[in-house]
Amino acid sequence: MNVLIKADKLNLGYKKDELIIKNANFEIHQKDFVFITGPSGSGKSTLLRSFYGALKVQKGSLQVNGFNMKRLSSRKLASLRRAIGVVFQDYKLINEWNVEKNIALPMIINGFSKNETKQTVEMLLSHINLLHKANKYPPELSGGEQQRIALARALSHRPKLILCDEPTGNLDDYSSDMIWGLLKSSNEQLGITIVVVTHRLPTHLNIRHRKIEIIEGEVNERT
């Protein structure tokens, strides 16, 4: 099975003398569904940030989709991010753009045709039951609706990898179930690798998955 993410003695932190992730060794393979868990402040989001180049490697090595994250030029970082979709806990939608254009953003960046972009956006909006909100703006939506839009945006350009930081942390049950269902189908039907940071695993998600736990900077796989 192809390795999509590989860490070897990986050390991460925001200050040189304060490591948050210490000597981590792990692999994430294509088509994996991985939960990253651990206590609050343990470094879950820190680790996730390193996967899309928002945090530099201090020591050791990290490979993501064939890219060496320790020696990554701006051009290579842009290329890497074209293969990744990111879902943030605070959505990071563009308030001045309507829902349709927010979802289309990665497709615009990646040079999809207008016709394909329109068809994909409509399909995704229908899938998350928000087709009727296509012309609304993020401030007009509930938190659950905004997160569903954020996930649709992350999926729109058909990435190899989706990274989610507490995607259901502040959502109602309906929106949470929809998010988990969409992530599951993306993994099972489209073969997208899913990595989710969460403090609470969904009890009803019937999917084969792996769990990586972080405690006091130590990264270990749990069964």
Side-chain angles (χ1 to χ4, degrees), residues 2-223:
N2 292 332
V3 176
L4 193 60
I5 300 174
K6 180 178 176 63
D8 184 16
K9 297 180 181 177
L10 175 64
N11 288 267
L12 299 170
Y14 298 95
K15 297 179 181 179
K16 288 186 177 180
D17 56 345
E18 294 181 14
L19 291 177
I20 297 173
I21 300 296
K22 306 167 186 175
N23 295 315
N25 298 284
F26 60 86
E27 292 182 352
I28 294 174
H29 303 101
Q30 288 185 6
K31 301 184 181 180
D32 274 353
F33 196 118
V34 179
F35 290 105
I36 299 176
T37 67
S40 179
S42 61
K44 302 184 296 296
S45 295
T46 297
L47 183 60
L48 198 76
R49 285 169 58 85
S50 73
F51 294 165
Y52 59 93
L55 181 65
K56 291 184 178 180
V57 173
Q58 283 203 11
K59 295 180 182 178
S61 68
L62 177 65
Q63 300 277 337
V64 180
N65 197 32
F67 290 92
N68 182 347
M69 302 302 288
K70 201 168 185 178
R71 298 181 181 87
L72 202 61
S73 65
S74 297
R75 181 179 60 82
K76 288 183 177 179
L77 178 59
S79 180
L80 169 66
R81 287 181 174 173
R82 284 195 287 271
I84 296 175
V86 184
V87 181
F88 302 93
Q89 188 174 10
D90 58 353
Y91 323 131
K92 296 197 184 308
L93 299 175
I94 300 172
N95 288 337
E96 294 76 22
W97 288 10
N98 67 16
V99 162
E100 192 173 41
K101 193 171 181 181
N102 264 284
I103 295 175
L105 177 60
M107 300 189 74
I108 295 170
I109 292 171
N110 284 282
F112 284 75
S113 70
K114 288 185 177 180
N115 186 54
E116 188 174 8
T117 298
K118 183 175 179 59
Q119 289 181 355
T120 299
V121 170
E122 287 181 355
M123 180 271 293
L124 286 167
L125 279 170
S126 179
H127 199 63
I128 60 173
N129 292 336
L130 288 176
L131 190 57
H132 60 295
K133 298 286 182 78
N135 294 314
K136 296 290 186 180
Y137 290 80
E140 299 177 282
L141 306 177
S142 70
E145 289 171 338
Q146 290 188 61
Q147 189 64 300
R148 284 146 62 189
I149 296 302
L151 180 52
R153 178 185 60 188
L155 285 165
S156 65
H157 62 298
R158 301 170 199 153
K160 278 189 177 181
L161 170 67
I162 290 184
L163 306 172
C164 304
D165 193 356
E166 297 282 7
T168 62
N170 300 317
L171 304 188
D172 58 84
D173 290 343
Y174 175 81
S175 293
S176 293
D177 288 346
M178 185 163 286
I179 294 292
W180 289 126
L182 193 52
L183 288 172
K184 178 181 177 180
S185 63
S186 300
N187 176 255
E188 293 180 339
Q189 298 172 24
L190 302 178
I192 298 174
T193 303
I194 309 291
V195 180
V196 181
V197 163
T198 183
H199 66 282
R200 185 180 61 197
L201 271 66
T203 57
H204 59 284
L205 188 66
N206 183 23
I207 189 170
R208 291 183 62 181
H209 65 271
R210 297 169 56 204
K211 184 170 74 170
I212 292 174
E213 186 175 37
I214 306 175
I215 298 179
E216 296 182 355
E218 301 292 331
V219 179
N220 294 287
E221 184 153 2
R222 303 297 186 194
T223 57

